[in-house]
Amino acid sequence: MNGPKRTWQQVKIKYKNILQNAVKKNTHRQGTGGGSPKADLTPAEDMALELNKGRPVLEGIPGGKETSIGSSQDATRFIQVSGSTVFLLEPPAQAPDDADPDPDAIQWENQPGNISSQAIRKLYGNHLRRQIELADIDIQYKKKKMENLALESEIKKRTIRKLDLEIKKLEREVRYAFNVHCMLTVTQMY
């Protein structure tokens, strides 16, 4: 443990980067037909590919077939579409094309760092429920804000009406005072 200290998030990103590079190299080698795909992999990339062996692959064209030298895996067997809803199906313990004759083979869900699709569904369901709750709270907040704005608007309308009435009252008082002044002036002249 003399290397750099990393948080679990940094380790996760590092692992994803290693796996992504390994898959890229592996795909390139298979696509060009050039020799063994593991020839230019680093030990870390080789280990990452081995740990992810048997995991469902959701790449390519749904319903399409793999034409490379490697095994064919149809991504659509893990996806079901009904109307506008997409369902993720539970993958088998091991992908059928990569069946390992070894009875002690480890299921991919049980390998370190892997999460079963049931756990992912549960986490995603919880996330969606929380998003709905937050949206409901936001809607309630905005309704209250609109009610407050409506009340403020009504108060301002009534204040304007009150000021208009006060102006009319003052105008009448000024006219009355002017008329009284004029009458007094006229009576004083006579």
Side-chain angles (χ1 to χ4, degrees), residues 49-75:
L49 283 176
E50 190 62 35
L51 286 173
N52 283 283
K53 192 176 197 177
R55 292 191 70 176
V57 177
L58 299 176
E59 294 182 32
I61 301 169
K65 298 293 179 194
E66 176 69 38
T67 59
S68 68
I69 297 170
S71 63
S72 100
Q73 184 167 7
D74 185 4

Side-chain angles (χ1 to χ4, degrees), residues 41-111:
L41 296 177
T42 66
E45 290 169 340
D46 193 31
M47 185 183 297
L49 283 176
E50 190 62 35
L51 286 173
N52 283 283
K53 192 176 197 177
R55 292 191 70 176
V57 177
L58 299 176
E59 294 182 32
I61 301 169
K65 298 293 179 194
E66 176 69 38
T67 59
S68 68
I69 297 170
S71 63
S72 100
Q73 184 167 7
D74 185 4
T76 59
R77 67 179 139 186
F78 302 116
I79 301 173
Q80 179 181 359
V81 179
S82 176
S84 63
T85 307
V86 177
F87 298 98
L88 295 177
L89 303 176
E90 186 70 32
Q94 267 186 306
D97 292 342
D98 296 334
D100 190 352
D102 180 11
D104 298 326
I106 300 172
Q107 295 179 355
W108 72 269
E109 288 100 346
N110 297 333
Q111 294 178 1

Side-chain angles (χ1 to χ4, degrees), residues 10 16 22 25-26 29 31 34 36 41 76 80 95 97 103 108 111 116 120 123-124 136 164-165 174 182 185:
Q10 291 171 323
K16 281 185 176 184
K25 286 179 183 178
N26 200 9
R29 296 294 297 236
S36 170
L41 296 177
T76 59
Q80 179 181 359
D97 292 342
W108 72 269
Q111 294 178 1
S116 73
I120 292 171
L123 287 171
Y124 188 63
D136 287 343
D164 284 341
L165 291 173
V174 167
C182 287
T185 307

